Amino acid sequence: MRRALLAVAVACLGAAVLLGGALADRGASPGPDLVRLPAETWSYRPAGTWRRDGRQVDPPLLRMDGPQPLLIMRAQVSRAEYAACVADGVCAAVRPGPGDEPQTDVNWYDATAYAGWLSRRTGQMWRLPTDAEWQRAAAERFADDALGDASLTDRWLARYSHESEGEPDPLLRRRGGWGENSRGVADLAGNVWEWTNDCVVTGTFDAGGQVAGRDEFCGARVVEGRHRAVVVDFIRDASAGGCAAGVPPQHLGFRLVREN
């Protein structure tokens, strides 16, 4: 009887570990390990394709205001954590691997399904970050994709040159294997790109530089990593196709933010 009770206790402890460690913010409810970013302002260059007078241009840097702290997962969702959602019959089964590696081969729908499952399991609200939130957390590891004032052909060449430079080893590492940035967030700009909740945007500026038109297409989403990319939302392996333009991501994974 005692052995049976001990086995149950060990199983429960294992399930708790799958959901992550204690929060860096000790006063919060149990859940994945988080980094708490303070209320702040930061510069953000929107994603998307923008034109002025019919010519493709870089969107301007915007001053973003974050009046509330941002709680973001310190590491990407692991295979072990994602497997718990699969075991519950909520998340789609994907390619298995070591439990301490980031979960890859997931699409935008897989990531949002996991966020919904984790919200129900913890009683907290979890979601994918916006592109602006991801850049806020990435700090110095965000790769600005401004290409300057050039012809369309020169912009394409510059983009491929920028995105191809210093591509990392494609082999996956354990979480934390790419180190932390200045804010304590791990594995940014490694070889796993991360889904955001932002749709693809096309827009136009008037002669004065003000937004004259803006359209969203949500069949593809912005993913972030060593460079910003656009990937069709049902694609799980962008390296084999499905990246709208530019050099494709090597692996697709995700991390979540928690609503305050």
Side-chain angles (χ1 to χ4, degrees), residues 33-136:
D33 189 18
L34 296 179
V35 171
R36 183 185 182 94
L37 304 182
E40 61 189 335
T41 59
W42 74 102
S43 295
Y44 170 67
R45 193 182 305 279
T49 301
W50 295 84
R51 289 182 171 82
R52 184 172 57 224
D53 297 328
R55 183 173 181 172
Q56 192 169 330
V57 296
D58 294 327
L61 277 174
L62 304 178
R63 195 67 175 164
M64 303 293 290
D65 180 26
Q68 299 295 328
L70 178 68
L71 298 173
I72 188 166
M73 287 182 175
R74 185 178 302 277
Q76 295 147 349
V77 172
S78 71
R79 294 190 189 278
E81 290 167 338
Y82 186 84
C85 180
V86 174
D88 273 357
V90 175
C91 292
V94 294
R95 187 183 307 171
D100 57 356
E101 285 183 356
Q103 180 63 64
T104 59
D105 299 301
V106 285
N107 61 31
W108 181 83
Y109 295 100
D110 299 326
T112 53
Y114 181 85
W117 171 84
L118 185 62
S119 296
R120 292 187 292 274
R121 284 290 296 267
T122 62
Q124 302 160 342
M125 180 59 69
W126 296 88
R127 59 172 175 79
L128 286 171
T130 66
D131 185 49
E133 289 171 334
W134 194 96
Q135 182 177 333
R136 177 181 175 184

Side-chain angles (χ1 to χ4, degrees), residues 193-210:
W193 274 248
E194 301 176 19
W195 289 99
T196 76
N197 211 34
D198 277 25
C199 302
V200 177
V201 172
T202 57
T204 56
F205 295 115
D206 61 22
Q210 300 300 310

Side-chain angles (χ1 to χ4, degrees), residues 177-226:
W178 295 97
E180 296 183 352
N181 71 351
S182 60
R183 317 206 75 172
V185 185
D187 301 328
L188 295 157
N191 63 4
V192 177
W193 274 248
E194 301 176 19
W195 289 99
T196 76
N197 211 34
D198 277 25
C199 302
V200 177
V201 172
T202 57
T204 56
F205 295 115
D206 61 22
Q210 300 300 310
V211 175
R214 185 180 186 278
D215 294 307
E216 286 189 348
F217 171 65
C218 290
R221 301 279 172 164
V222 176
V223 299
E224 282 285 7
R226 288 179 65 86

